[in-house]
Amino acid sequence: MLELRYRGSCPSPGEAVSPPPREGEAAGGDHETESTSDKETDIDDRYGDLDSRTDSDIPEIPASSDRTPEILKKALSGLSSRWKNWWIRGILTLTMISLFFLIIYMGSFMLMLLVLGIQVKCFHEIITIGYRVYHSYDLPWFRTLSWYFLLCVNYFFYGETVADYFATFVQREEQLQFLIRYHRFISFALYLAGFCMFVLSLVKKHYRLQFYMFAWTHVTLLITVTQSHLVIQNLFEGMIWFLVPISSVICNDITAYLFGFFFGRTPLIKLSPKKTWEGFIGGFFSTVVFGFIAAYVLSKYQYFVCPVEYRSDVNSFVTECEPSELFQLQTYSLPPFLKAVLRQERVSLYPFQIHSIALSTFASLIGPFGGFFASGFKRAFKIKDFANTIPGHGGIMDRFDCQYLMATFVHVYITSFIRGPNPSKVLQQLLVLQPEQQLNIYKTLKIHLIEKGILQPALKV
C-alpha cells in the first residue's frame, strides 16, 4: 500500500493516487503533469511499497536440482531416503577429508588458495540468494557492484598481508614498492569508485530496496572476506593453529550428526528441527577428545608448529624453526581426582594440548550457533540449502557456516593469550627502512645490550 502524505479524500483500493496540484496550476494540470503522474504510478504499481512486504510475500526460490552422481543413485536405489542420505553424506565427507589431507601435504600456499576459493564460492552463494529473491525488481548493477566490492576488499586485505609477510620480496620489485607504499590510498580510491557507481545507479521509487541490497553485499563481505583473512592470519602463526580449529569443527559436525542420527530424540532448537540434545552433547565430548589427541600428534612436527614464513633466498614458504615452549613437552602435576583415576601423579603434555581444550570447547558449544544463524537465514528466504554444490551437504556455505565464527575466535585467542613479539616480522620491517634509520636502530640496540651486560663494551685504545 502506498502511504498518503497529503490531504484529500481516500482513494479506492484500485484508484491511482495523484499528487496535489501546484500553486498557480489548474486542478487538472497540464499534459506534462499528467504524463509524469502516470509514469510515477506505473513505477509504484510495479515495485509497490517494500515496507508492506512480510515473510510470506518473499518470492520462493526454485528448489535446487539433485546433483548426486548417477553411480551413487543406482547403488543406493534400494534404500530408504533416510539411509540413502546418510550414505551419500558419508561417502562425500570422506572424499572431502581425503582432498583436504592432500592439500595439507602440498603446503601452506595451497591452503591459502583453498581459503580464497572457499571465500569466493561462499560469497557467490549468498549474493545469488539475494539476486534470486529480488530479481523481479531488476536492480541495476547489483551483481556487478557486488563482485566489484569483493575485488576491492580482497585487494585491501591481501595487500596488507603482502606488506606484512613479504617485505623482502617487495623490496626487490620497484612496481610492488609503489603499490605497497600507497596501498591503503589505492584501496580507498577503488572503494570510492564503487560507492559512486552505486549512488549513480539509484532509481526513483526504488531507493530503499537498493540500500537493502547495498547492506546485503557489505554484510556478506564482512562474513566471508574478513573471516577468511583471519583464517590466513592464523595460518601464518603456524599450520597447527589452522588445522586444529578447522578439524575440531569438522569433527563436531560429523559426530553430532552421528549421535543425533542414531540416538537423537530431544529437539535442540526450533531453527534446526533435526538438531538434538543427544547430538549436541555427544559432539561436545567427542570434539574435546579429538582436539586433545590431534594437538598431541601435530605438536611433534616442525612442519605444523613453526610459523609460516616467506624466504626470499629460496623464493618459497618455509616452516623451519626451533619450536617454542608451547610445543615442547612439559611435566604437570595432576589434580587429586585425576590421580585416583589415572593412578599417577604427573603427566607429560604439550602446553598446546591445554589450549586445544579451549579451542575444542568453543568449536562444539559456540561454533554450532554459526550453523543455527545460517539455518535462520535460510528459513527467512524459504530455502533448504545455500546451493547444491555438494550432494547431501548443500552448498559450500552450508559446510563452512561454523568455520567463520571459529576463525574469529582463534585470531582473538592468539592475540590475547599466545602471540608475543615476532622477530621475523620485526626484521622484515627493519630491512625496508632507510640505511640511516637502520644505523640508528643498530646503535640504540647496541647500547641497550651493553647496559644489560649481554655485550662487552669496546675497549678504547
Side-chain angles (χ1 to χ4, degrees):
M1 296 291 291
L2 295 175
E3 183 179 355
L4 303 180
R5 298 187 180 275
Y6 57 88
R7 297 177 182 176
S9 60
C10 296
S12 62
E15 183 179 346
V17 178
S18 301
R22 297 182 183 176
E23 185 178 352
E25 289 184 355
D30 55 15
H31 176 73
E32 182 180 353
T33 303
E34 291 178 356
S35 177
T36 302
S37 178
D38 290 342
K39 290 180 180 178
E40 291 180 353
T41 302
D42 290 341
I43 295 174
D44 291 344
D45 290 341
R46 183 181 179 187
Y47 298 119
D49 188 5
L50 187 63
D51 284 341
S52 66
R53 289 167 64 94
T54 63
D55 286 347
S56 60
D57 296 326
I58 294 175
E60 299 218 6
I61 299 176
S64 300
S65 60
D66 186 8
R67 300 182 62 180
T68 306
E70 290 296 329
I71 188 173
L72 281 181
K73 288 182 180 180
K74 293 179 180 179
L76 304 175
S77 58
L79 299 176
S80 64
S81 59
R82 183 169 183 261
W83 280 100
K84 185 185 298 183
N85 183 64
W86 191 90
W87 276 105
I88 292 173
R89 286 176 66 100
I91 293 171
L92 291 175
T93 296
L94 292 176
T95 303
M96 289 188 290
I97 291 175
S98 301
L99 291 174
F100 186 54
F101 280 133
L102 176 62
I103 294 175
I104 293 172
Y105 175 77
M106 296 172 70
S108 53
F109 182 71
M110 293 304 298
L111 285 173
M112 294 178 198
L113 292 180
L114 174 66
V115 172
L116 178 60
I118 290 172
Q119 172 221 115
V120 172
K121 189 64 175 72
C122 290
F123 180 85
H124 171 260
E125 291 178 357
I126 299 175
I127 289 296
T128 299
I129 291 173
Y131 179 75
R132 287 178 177 176
V133 170
Y134 298 109
H135 73 281
S136 59
Y137 293 93
D138 297 325
L139 289 176
W141 298 2
F142 168 56
R143 287 196 293 183
T144 302
L145 283 175
S146 296
W147 286 101
Y148 177 80
F149 282 125
L150 175 67
L151 179 65
C152 291
V153 176
N154 270 307
Y155 176 81
F156 171 74
F157 279 119
Y158 281 92
E160 293 287 305
T161 301
V162 170
D164 285 342
Y165 295 98
F166 301 88
T168 53
F169 174 75
V170 170
Q171 278 295 100
R172 302 202 308 255
E173 303 291 336
E174 292 185 4
Q175 297 86 352
L176 290 178
Q177 288 181 32
F178 173 82
L179 293 176
I180 294 301
R181 183 175 181 180
Y182 300 104
H183 170 67
R184 295 192 177 185
F185 180 81
I186 296 172
S187 301
F188 183 63
L190 290 172
Y191 180 82
L192 279 182
F195 179 81
C196 293
M197 285 190 288
F198 167 74
V199 174
L200 293 174
S201 71
L202 292 174
V203 178
K204 191 175 181 180
K205 300 296 183 181
H206 199 22
Y207 298 144
R208 186 166 298 175
L209 178 59
Q210 287 183 283
F211 278 103
Y212 282 165
M213 301 314 297
F214 184 76
W216 180 297
T217 298
H218 281 67
V219 171
T220 304
L221 291 172
L222 177 66
I223 293 173
T224 57
V225 183
T226 306
Q227 307 305 315
S228 64
H229 173 70
L230 295 181
V231 171
I232 292 178
Q233 293 293 310
N234 299 338
L235 178 60
F236 275 108
E237 295 295 327
M239 204 179 292
I240 196 170
W241 291 104
F242 173 86
L243 294 178
V244 170
I246 285 181
S247 59
S248 295
V249 172
I250 295 173
C251 173
N252 182 72
D253 193 30
I254 295 173
T255 54
Y257 174 77
L258 292 176
F259 275 94
F261 185 87
F262 290 106
F263 309 108
R265 297 292 183 273
T266 313
L268 176 63
I269 187 171
K270 292 182 179 179
L271 284 173
S272 297
K274 293 183 179 180
K275 299 289 193 302
T276 62
W277 275 104
E278 292 80 3
F280 186 75
I281 296 171
F284 165 69
F285 287 106
S286 302
T287 304
V288 171
V289 172
F290 169 83
F292 194 78
I293 296 173
Y296 175 80
V297 173
L298 297 179
S299 294
K300 295 181 178 182
Y301 302 97
Q302 285 189 12
Y303 182 74
F304 297 113
V305 304
C306 290
V308 178
E309 298 178 358
Y310 177 78
R311 287 268 298 275
S312 57
D313 53 340
V314 295
N315 195 31
S316 66
F317 291 98
V318 295
T319 51
E320 297 176 358
C321 68
E322 181 66 29
S324 65
E325 293 183 358
L326 199 61
F327 306 106
Q328 296 179 11
L329 282 173
Q330 308 286 341
T331 302
Y332 296 93
S333 297
L334 293 174
F337 71 93
L338 284 179
K339 289 180 182 179
V341 175
L342 300 178
R343 296 182 181 179
Q344 57 184 23
E345 296 185 355
R346 296 178 179 276
V347 64
S348 294
L349 297 173
Y350 292 101
F352 181 77
Q353 289 181 267
I354 300 174
H355 293 290
S356 73
I357 297 176
L359 300 178
S360 301
T361 300
F362 184 91
S364 53
L365 296 184
I366 307 300
F369 280 84
F372 301 152
F373 177 86
S375 296
F377 180 89
K378 289 182 286 187
R379 281 179 172 271
F381 294 98
K382 303 177 182 179
I383 56 176
K384 180 182 179 182
D385 299 310
F386 282 94
N388 61 342
T389 309
I390 312 171
H393 292 268
I396 298 296
M397 191 65 196
D398 291 288
R399 293 300 91 212
F400 289 89
D401 46 13
C402 301
Q403 296 287 3
Y404 285 122
L405 198 60
M406 188 70 191
T408 305
F409 172 74
V410 174
H411 185 76
V412 171
Y413 190 88
I414 291 173
T415 54
S416 301
F417 304 109
I418 305 298
R419 181 185 293 164
N422 188 335
S424 176
K425 193 171 181 179
V426 173
L427 181 60
Q428 296 271 9
Q429 294 172 340
L430 286 174
L431 292 176
V432 299
L433 296 177
Q434 297 297 323
E436 296 80 7
Q437 295 173 314
Q438 294 174 340
L439 188 59
N440 289 334
I441 293 175
Y442 166 75
K443 291 178 180 178
T444 303
L445 181 61
K446 182 179 179 181
I447 293 172
H448 176 73
L449 294 176
I450 290 174
E451 290 176 350
K452 282 185 165 289
I454 299 175
L455 290 181
Q456 297 297 324
L459 297 176
K460 294 184 180 179
V461 180

